[in-house]
Amino acid sequence: MPWGRGLGPGPPTPGPLQVPQPVGRTGPGQRPRTRSLHGPCPVTTFGPKACVLQNPQTIMHIQDPASQRLTWNKSPKSVLVIKKIRDASLLQPFKELCAYLMEENNMVVYVEKKVLEDPALLSDDHFGPVKRKFCTFREDYDDISNQIDLIICLGGDGTLLYASSLFQGSVPPVMAFHLGSLGFLTPFNFENFQSQVTQVIQGNAAVVLRSRLKVRVVKEPRGKKVAVPNGISENGVLAASLDVEVGKQAVQYQVLNEVVIDRGPSSYLSNVDVYLDGHLITTVQGDGVIVSTPTGSTAYAAAAGASMIHPNVPAIMVTPICPHSLSFRPIVVPAGVELKIMLSPEARNTAWVSFDGRKRQEIRHGDSISITTSCYPLPSICVRDPVSDWFESLAQCLHWNVRKKQAHFPEDEEDADEEGGEERAGS
């Protein structure tokens, strides 16, 4: 799949750097890993009709952010509008946007059913004709993943996280308007939404591919023992053909910001083991650990002391929360690795895990959490370009490196200092 910008005439660009393919990883029963060190190649088709404009040359399998431009295979006809619930200030922008999409662009508008249950919308007779044209859905009940060409969010960063959770596979392009409290992930202002939406529909926009984490939670069944199939070798090691997850319950999530493992309501330290590609790398003792994407590096991870990383960097952040060891600093690992987190055998209490702040659940002995970079990124539409938008967000939302300027010396003092230096040099 073509990526990046070329460097002009010269020898052919080498293909992506691949991990060597051993017979096994570290022991029997472990499959060889063929992922790139830079993570799985992301899917660059978003929903039924959108994709990244292809570029014919590659540079180490990493796309140049400046070359990430949105294009449409066919004109988008359906749009999902996500509005922050229980926010009266968003009612008027929501009405204006939906009317514009339906009447001016002849688009099919999908909204969540509970959005239309707002009493203010139910009692608005003027909005009735527009409201009757909506297509509605319910979260966790209706699958709309193959019916949406474009997503528009009205609210804060939480609306973008919610949009991500609705699509466990390919995600349509997301245009996020800043109508919430922070707005780090929502770069668009609503004042001139008509022209901005028109440009996006025409395919005139840059996108940043925000990588997501594919998280698999495997839990031991509780209450009764499950018979283990015959697959034990003479030395007591599981045979290669044995499926070690037989009888267990497994569920998978796509996570945009972070996976948080913490000690929950317990007063004891959390005690979890962290494996990287099958190797135990450390045991986390403290309040917990954050595993985040570059997008999530500016959220909870930044508050816990991690570095802020641009979304185009292929990486996974591992950040301890109030660790018991002062030398336990946050680390960054390649996007191509697989992390596995389990309770330590000597752990005094269980742990709790949440995914982008949702689906919180308890983790007990025998349960495991496997985390890799997903091949389904979230294509977030930019106001200008991925680099400019990110630094603008750092400055406007996080006030990054904001301080009063240092006063300069008056010119006469500068001259006096220079003359004094010359006299000292000549003496």
Side-chain angles (χ1 to χ4, degrees), residues 106-129:
N106 197 29
M107 299 186 76
V108 178
V109 178
Y110 286 76
V111 296
E112 195 170 4
K113 190 174 183 180
K114 61 184 178 183
V115 171
L116 298 183
E117 294 173 353
D118 190 316
L121 288 177
L122 292 174
S123 60
D124 190 341
D125 296 333
H126 297 289
F127 193 60

Side-chain angles (χ1 to χ4, degrees), residues 114-388:
K114 61 184 178 183
V115 171
L116 298 183
E117 294 173 353
D118 190 316
L121 288 177
L122 292 174
S123 60
D124 190 341
D125 296 333
H126 297 289
F127 193 60
V130 174
K131 186 171 58 179
R132 285 190 288 270
K133 297 179 182 179
F134 282 129
C135 292
T136 60
F137 72 97
R138 294 174 297 170
E139 183 187 10
D140 297 331
Y141 284 93
D142 302 316
D143 182 12
I144 58 171
S145 57
N146 293 322
Q147 303 173 33
I148 304 300
D149 299 333
L150 173 66
I151 302 172
I152 298 180
C153 296
L154 302 177
D157 294 342
T159 58
L160 193 69
L161 297 175
Y162 179 68
S164 172
S165 70
L166 294 175
F167 295 84
Q168 296 300 299
S170 178
V171 187
V174 182
M175 184 179 189
F177 286 94
H178 176 204
L179 291 166
S181 56
L182 185 61
F184 192 90
L185 305 179
T186 53
F188 287 91
N189 293 319
F190 195 76
E191 285 75 14
N192 53 343
F193 76 92
Q194 295 95 336
S195 61
Q196 293 174 328
V197 170
T198 299
Q199 286 189 351
V200 170
I201 293 175
Q202 293 174 350
N204 182 21
V207 292
V208 55
L209 303 184
R210 297 186 178 276
S211 65
R212 299 195 293 174
L213 299 176
K214 182 176 73 173
V215 187
R216 180 177 172 84
V217 180
V218 179
K219 291 189 175 183
E220 289 275 8
R222 309 299 175 193
K224 62 179 180 179
K225 298 291 184 180
V226 177
V228 178
N230 183 18
I232 306 298
S233 63
E234 292 182 359
N235 60 2
V237 179
L238 288 174
S241 60
L242 177 62
D243 183 358
V244 296
E245 294 183 2
V246 169
K248 297 186 179 182
Q249 302 170 349
V251 63
Q252 189 167 293
Y253 303 94
Q254 296 282 336
V255 176
L256 180 60
N257 258 2
E258 75 269 310
V259 181
V260 178
I261 297 96
D262 60 66
R263 59 189 174 94
S266 173
S267 59
Y268 294 110
L269 295 174
S270 70
N271 198 338
V272 296
D273 293 334
V274 180
Y275 296 83
L276 192 150
D277 285 341
H279 299 275
L280 177 65
I281 58 170
T282 193
T283 297
V284 178
Q285 295 184 88
D287 282 354
V289 63
I290 305 167
V291 180
S292 61
T293 64
T295 294
S297 71
T298 52
Y300 193 0
S307 296
M308 295 184 290
I309 299 179
H310 189 275
N312 278 105
V313 178
I316 300 174
M317 274 61 67
V318 180
T319 307
I321 307 171
C322 298
H324 200 245
S325 169
L326 294 179
S327 61
F328 192 176
R329 311 310 302 160
I331 61 172
V332 180
V333 298
V337 304
E338 180 180 28
L339 293 169
K340 189 171 185 177
I341 299 176
M342 303 178 67
L343 272 181
S344 298
E346 62 273 13
R348 295 182 177 182
N349 58 303
T350 61
W352 290 76
V353 61
S354 61
F355 314 93
D356 283 341
R358 310 179 77 217
K359 309 291 184 182
R360 186 169 171 81
Q361 54 196 269
E362 191 174 15
I363 299 296
R364 302 181 180 184
H365 284 97
D367 300 343
S368 65
I369 305 168
S370 299
I371 305 172
T372 59
T373 299
S374 170
C375 63
Y376 297 107
L378 183 142
S380 180
I381 299 173
C382 304
V383 172
R384 286 183 290 176
D385 60 76
V387 174
S388 299

